[in-house]
Amino acid sequence: MSATACSGGGTPPPGSPPAASQSPSGPATPSATPTPTASYKPADATGKAQNVPVPELPEAAKAETKEGAVAFAKHWYTLLNYAYQTGEFRLMDEVTDSSCRLCARVRSGIVEWNSEGRWIAGGLLQAKGAYTNFVKTSRGTYQVTTQLEQSAGVLYRADSSVEKSVPASQVLADIMILRFSDGRWMAMDVDRIGA
């Protein structure tokens, strides 16, 4: 807002200090210059995704509750999307059991297409809904069913040529087997319904 708007459009009365000096006086402190953060750029025909935000575990996903199981299952797919874009599996490995079969199959494709200069554009999953009856099995696990949509994806070779285009999938559903131990959730297995 301009100074004229604050003073009704008139000029200050004679003898009054300039508008800039009417603020409370005190020692001038240099303001910290904000460090510019690089903005996220999704993968496209020109190259890999850049500055992909690291997914943060939602607070709700830290509890052994129905809401916690659902929040964790949705979070798991954000970690999968992170892996699609970066080829980095450390975050997924921390919350996924090594015996997960679908995870191993998906992982090999992602690793392959994030090596030797290749990359994946698109193909990201969005969890549209998740449901659990939150009944603990005799093995100490829970089951969450997640409804997903996957965007169209393109696999690019290092020379930017297209290896393969994959159409969007409107409705997918996965069953995730979860265990809560040592204060955190682990995905024990994930299976595609109808695959």
Side-chain angles (χ1 to χ4, degrees):
M1 188 179 299
S2 69
T4 55
C6 294
S7 61
T11 57
S16 65
S21 65
Q22 290 180 358
S23 59
S25 61
T29 55
S31 61
T33 304
T35 305
T37 54
S39 59
Y40 166 64
K41 179 187 176 297
D44 58 20
T46 63
K48 285 184 79 160
Q50 298 173 19
N51 309 307
V52 181
V54 177
E56 292 188 26
L57 183 69
E59 197 61 37
K62 298 176 182 178
E64 188 177 8
T65 61
K66 183 174 185 174
E67 295 76 17
V70 166
F72 174 81
K74 290 180 176 180
H75 172 69
W76 189 87
Y77 288 98
T78 68
L79 297 178
L80 180 58
N81 286 337
Y82 183 79
Y84 266 106
Q85 297 179 88
T86 64
E88 170 59 55
F89 276 88
R90 181 183 55 82
L91 298 173
M92 277 202 75
D93 289 345
E94 291 175 359
V95 296
T96 307
D97 193 79
S98 59
S99 66
C100 176
R101 294 165 296 184
L102 179 65
C103 311
R105 287 196 309 269
V106 169
R107 180 188 187 116
S108 63
I110 292 173
V111 168
E112 177 184 353
W113 281 100
N114 277 283
S115 64
E116 299 178 7
R118 295 176 290 207
W119 71 94
I120 302 168
L124 303 180
L125 291 156
Q126 183 178 12
K128 304 299 284 184
Y131 172 78
T132 179
N133 57 14
F134 203 64
V135 174
K136 196 172 194 175
T137 69
S138 58
R139 294 179 160 186
T141 61
Y142 300 91
Q143 180 176 298
V144 177
T145 304
T146 308
Q147 181 183 350
L148 307 161
E149 287 182 5
Q150 187 168 22
S151 66
V154 181
L155 305 178
Y156 287 98
R157 298 185 192 100
D159 64 1
S160 299
S161 62
V162 174
E163 168 72 18
K164 184 177 182 181
S165 293
V166 181
S169 298
Q170 292 303 313
V171 181
L172 301 170
D174 285 353
I175 295 177
M176 183 180 292
I177 306 300
L178 303 176
R179 174 175 284 127
F180 192 87
S181 61
D182 299 324
R184 65 191 189 110
W185 289 104
M186 284 287 286
M188 306 307 293
D189 203 2
V190 181
D191 205 3
R192 179 74 27 96
I193 298 173

